[in-house]
């Protein structure tokens, strides 16, 4: 009989694994999920609330895809993993046996023990259920007169943007003294502060949530701020202070846990035939200078691809290339390629350029002296990922990168271009006299 591979989690990592196992083999595959019947794009959740998409549109595959590809889908919560008997206990008492088990169980929003954090009207933004809750809690500004979003990261700013599309006033409570400044260099972080407030958001920097207060019906009525004791009346509280691996159900399983499920580069746990991938996986040591846990879409996809190879007879270590990510801060798109730290690493320096419209900027991290290119953050200007990936591999200097920046510009020809402005600023800062090279399609597709 064909080996039975059971995957817990139907997010990007679990589904990528299943698809690639099917491409390479006839193994029996089952995906179990407690969340939804079918895979959907988590990153598109916001667009459903904002009215740009229906839930159906967020499903990358038609519902018939799974049967056609002989991928069994099971809607259930896995209560426990019994690795000695290679058996799962599902909600409702059902048991399921596996030969190989893939844990692709994702993350959950952090809660830090705030008084009132479980009140009606307090919620995270992670799952389809969270989206449904937000629709019920904040359908319009009559039901929700004000929302408070706690936690200044990528999900927090998405939630703020979502609420604004329904004209719901928002207070955005951010513990740091500038938005996401543990990740973004100060110039960028301050530009995003200004962008947020330009959307009439009540942005409170440097303040912590103290408690969440209930009305007589047990529903949220206000939050209090730790530093000032101020009470802010609200009907919804969004808790978006980061996420952590969703591993509570594995506590007594014998599978080694840290913050996440500990794995080696082959994505193996300490228990034979059990693997972990995606948001829930924690490398013993970060690979290629990357973080041990990476709760991002692309990482889940790459891990899923690598593990499927291993499970179909072609052992493949997870070996991510250069770091990259993308996001959106309201109207400003953000991409990052390579490493740009909030403060340059020892021996490195930053070159920062900002457009006078206050909606576009770049920061380049480079080695001092040699000016070897280490990474770039770009806001409001689209730059080609493949090209930066290549330049990082070729260990180019920042001088080279900026001279060839026209090659990297992804915007159509009729968009404004900023290469000359950027290069002028760089020449002034470093005493160089570089000129932008003409765009070359030959070089781009070399
Ligand atoms: C609002 C939002 C916006 C985002 N935007 C971006 C972005 O722009 N770019 C980016 O790179 N990343 C983004 N992310 C992060 C990205 O979506 C995640 O990194 C990715 O979806 C994780 O995929 P995964 O397959 O590891 O886990 P998940 O997608 O979380 O899937 C895990 C599944 O397992 C299920 N599960 C867990 N435990 C059990 C159990 N015991 N039994 C049964 N089922 C279980 C869960 O219910 C869930 O359905 C965003 C995340 C959110 C929430």
């Amino acid at each position: 009989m064909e080996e039975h591979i059971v995957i817990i989690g139907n997010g990007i990592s679990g589904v990528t694994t299943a698809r690639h196992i099917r491409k390479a083999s006839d193994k029996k595959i089952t995906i179990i999920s407690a969340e939804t019947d079918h895979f959907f794009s988590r990153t598109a959740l916001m667009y459903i609330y904002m009215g740009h998409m229906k839930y159906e549109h967020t499903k990358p595959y038609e519902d018939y895809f799974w049967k056609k590809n002989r991928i069994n889908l099971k809607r259930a919560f896995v209560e426990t993993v019994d690795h000695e008997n290679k058996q799962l206990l599902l909600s409702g008492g059902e048991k399921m046996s596996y030969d190989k088990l893939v844990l692709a169980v994702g993350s959950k929003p952090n809660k830090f023990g705030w008084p009132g954090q479980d009140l009606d009207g307090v919620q995270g933004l992670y799952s389809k259920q969270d989206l449904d809750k937000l629709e019920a809690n904040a359908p319009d500004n009559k039901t929700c007169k004000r929302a408070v979003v706690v936690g200044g990261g990528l999900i927090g700013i998405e939630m703020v943007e979502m609420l604004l599309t329904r004209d719901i006033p928002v207070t955005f409570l951010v513990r740091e003294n500038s938005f996401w400044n543990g990740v973004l260099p100060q110039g960028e972080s301050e530009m995003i502060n200004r962008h947020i407030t330009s959307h009439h958001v009540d942005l409170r920097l440097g303040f912590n949530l103290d408690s969440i207060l209930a009305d007589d019906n047990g529903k949220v009525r206000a939050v209090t701020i730790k530093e000032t004791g101020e009470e802010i009346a609200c009907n919804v509280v969004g808790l978006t202070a980061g996420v952590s691996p969703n591993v509570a159900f594995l506590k007594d399983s014998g599978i080694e846990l840290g913050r996440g499920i500990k794995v080696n580069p082959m994505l193996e746990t300490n228990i034979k035939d059990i693997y972990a991938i995606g948001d829930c996986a924690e490398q013993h040591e970060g690979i290629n200078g990357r973080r041990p846990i990476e709760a991002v879409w692309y990482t889940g996809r790459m891990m899923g691809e690598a593990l499927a190879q291993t499970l179909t007879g072609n052992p493949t270590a997870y070996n991510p290339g250069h770091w990259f990510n993308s996001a959106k801060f309201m109207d400003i798109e953000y991409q990052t390629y390579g490493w740009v730290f909030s403060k340059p690493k020892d021996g490195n320096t930053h070159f920062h350029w900002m457009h006078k419209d206050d909606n576009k900027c770049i920061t380049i991290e480079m080695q001092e002296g040699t000016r070897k290119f280490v990474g770039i953050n770009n806001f409001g200007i689209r730059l080609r990922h493949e090209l930066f990936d290549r330049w990082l591999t070729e260990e180019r200097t920042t001088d080279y990168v900026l001279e060839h920046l026209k090659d990297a510009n992804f915007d159509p020809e009729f968009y404004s271009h900023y290469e000359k402005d950027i290069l002028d600023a760089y020449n002034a800062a470093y005493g160089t006299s570089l000129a932008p090279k003409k765009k070359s399609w030959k070089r781009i597709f070399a």
Side-chain angles (χ1 to χ4, degrees):
M1 235 189 26
E2 280 292 349
E3 186 175 61
H4 187 196
I5 300 181
V6 176
I7 300 166
I8 311 179
N10 69 348
I12 181 66
S13 54
V15 160
T16 304
T17 312
R19 284 177 41 242
H20 286 266
I21 294 172
R22 177 53 72 242
K23 277 189 191 171
S25 78
D26 277 329
K27 291 180 193 294
K28 181 175 171 191
I29 307 170
T30 302
I31 305 183
I32 308 176
S33 171
E35 185 178 6
T36 50
D37 289 336
H38 299 102
F39 171 49
F40 70 96
S41 168
R42 200 170 293 295
T43 57
L45 273 181
M46 68 184 296
Y47 300 109
I48 303 175
Y49 181 87
M50 289 162 66
H52 302 180
M53 287 175 131
K54 290 200 160 54
Y55 172 64
E56 296 307 304
H57 304 146
T58 67
K59 291 195 268 184
Y61 305 98
E62 299 289 345
D63 292 353
Y64 63 74
F65 172 88
W66 309 99
K67 194 164 178 203
K68 186 171 156 230
N69 287 286
R70 289 167 293 115
I71 297 172
N72 305 309
L73 302 180
K74 174 83 184 169
R75 181 85 182 265
F77 183 76
V78 178
E79 309 260 4
T80 53
V81 175
D82 169 2
H83 67 83
E84 273 162 20
N85 296 302
K86 290 197 155 183
Q87 205 167 56
L88 308 176
L89 175 65
L90 309 188
S91 45
E94 193 182 336
K95 291 186 173 162
M96 185 182 287
S97 297
Y98 65 84
D99 296 307
K100 300 239 162 86
L101 179 65
V102 179
L103 300 164
V105 292
S107 301
K108 59 173 178 35
N110 287 333
K111 288 182 174 183
F112 291 110
W114 292 294
Q117 66 181 17
D118 296 318
L119 287 172
D120 191 9
V122 182
Q123 64 162 107
L125 178 67
Y126 191 86
S127 62
K128 169 70 167 58
Q129 286 73 13
D130 290 336
L131 181 77
D132 296 341
K133 258 193 217 165
L134 193 64
E135 190 58 60
N137 287 332
D140 52 47
N141 59 14
K142 291 195 178 58
T143 311
C144 178
K145 296 194 169 49
R146 173 167 294 275
V148 175
V149 175
V150 181
L154 296 179
I155 298 181
I157 198 165
E158 281 196 5
M159 197 170 192
V160 169
E161 184 180 358
M162 290 162 76
L163 292 157
L164 292 181
T165 61
R166 305 250 177 135
D167 293 326
I168 295 171
V170 184
T171 296
F172 194 11
L173 214 57
V174 174
R175 187 179 55 175
E176 293 73 29
N177 61 16
S178 187
F179 178 80
W180 218 35
N181 66 355
V183 177
L184 300 180
Q186 200 59 21
E188 301 174 351
S189 165
E190 286 171 3
M191 184 184 85
I192 301 299
N193 293 339
R194 293 189 291 274
H195 188 63
I196 294 170
T197 44
S198 76
H199 282 75
H200 309 291
V201 174
D202 172 28
L203 175 64
R204 307 286 187 102
L205 295 171
F207 289 111
N208 284 274
L209 174 68
D210 190 35
S211 63
I212 307 170
L213 308 177
D215 66 13
D216 294 342
N217 301 316
K219 198 165 179 329
V220 58
R221 69 167 179 82
V223 299
T224 59
I225 293 186
K226 198 175 208 157
E227 287 74 10
T228 58
E230 184 189 355
E231 199 174 296
I232 302 173
C234 60
N235 308 101
V236 169
V237 177
L239 297 181
T240 59
V243 297
S244 340
N246 193 9
V247 294
F249 77 107
L250 297 170
K251 195 163 52 81
D252 302 316
S253 65
I255 299 168
E256 187 186 354
L257 302 177
R259 275 189 62 226
I261 304 165
K262 292 282 194 177
V263 290
N264 62 20
M266 296 303 292
L267 304 164
E268 296 162 328
T269 69
N270 60 318
I271 306 280
K272 189 173 178 307
D273 294 335
I274 302 187
Y275 305 81
I277 53 172
D279 276 24
C280 68
E282 177 179 357
Q283 293 288 336
H284 293 283
E285 307 260 322
I287 302 172
N288 297 343
R290 297 174 67 140
R291 296 179 192 91
I293 300 180
E294 284 181 354
V296 291
W297 182 266
Y298 312 102
T299 294
R301 199 178 59 197
M302 290 189 290
M303 285 185 173
E305 286 166 1
L307 181 59
Q309 291 295 314
T310 300
L311 294 178
T312 53
N314 177 24
T316 303
Y318 170 62
N319 186 16
H322 303 292
W323 168 250
F324 70 99
N325 201 6
S326 64
K328 206 166 71 66
F329 301 106
M330 302 182 149
D331 307 325
I332 302 181
E333 286 186 28
Y334 155 73
Q335 299 157 331
T336 183
Y337 305 130
W339 290 117
V340 179
F341 299 97
S342 56
K343 297 202 169 59
K345 278 260 136 87
D346 273 357
N348 287 353
T349 182
H350 278 175
F351 164 68
H352 181 66
W353 168 86
M354 179 167 301
H355 190 265
K356 56 183 180 312
D357 73 3
D358 207 20
N359 280 335
K360 295 174 196 75
C361 70
I362 65 164
T363 303
I364 291 180
E365 180 143 345
M366 63 185 130
Q367 281 180 358
E368 261 167 339
T370 63
R371 298 205 289 268
K372 185 180 147 194
F373 178 75
V374 176
I376 184 167
N377 283 352
N378 40 294
F379 289 77
I381 304 173
R382 280 196 197 176
L383 297 174
R384 282 171 210 280
H385 174 208
E386 316 80 59
L387 221 53
F388 279 98
D389 205 50
R390 197 199 307 160
W391 288 341
L392 283 161
T393 302
E394 291 169 352
E395 304 197 353
R396 296 292 184 180
T397 61
T398 305
D399 294 18
Y400 179 93
V401 166
L402 289 183
E403 278 182 316
H404 293 85
L405 203 58
K406 284 190 180 193
D407 288 357
N409 198 320
F410 196 70
D411 281 333
E413 293 294 335
F414 50 84
Y415 273 52
S416 307
H417 287 250
Y418 307 99
E419 292 85 10
K420 183 160 180 328
D421 271 18
I422 294 170
L423 213 44
D424 286 349
Y426 184 79
N427 283 334
Y430 292 95
T432 46
S433 47
L434 307 172
K437 295 245 186 296
K438 250 183 108 193
K439 182 175 193 150
S440 154
W441 291 105
K442 204 164 145 210
R443 263 196 315 261
I444 293 171
F445 294 112

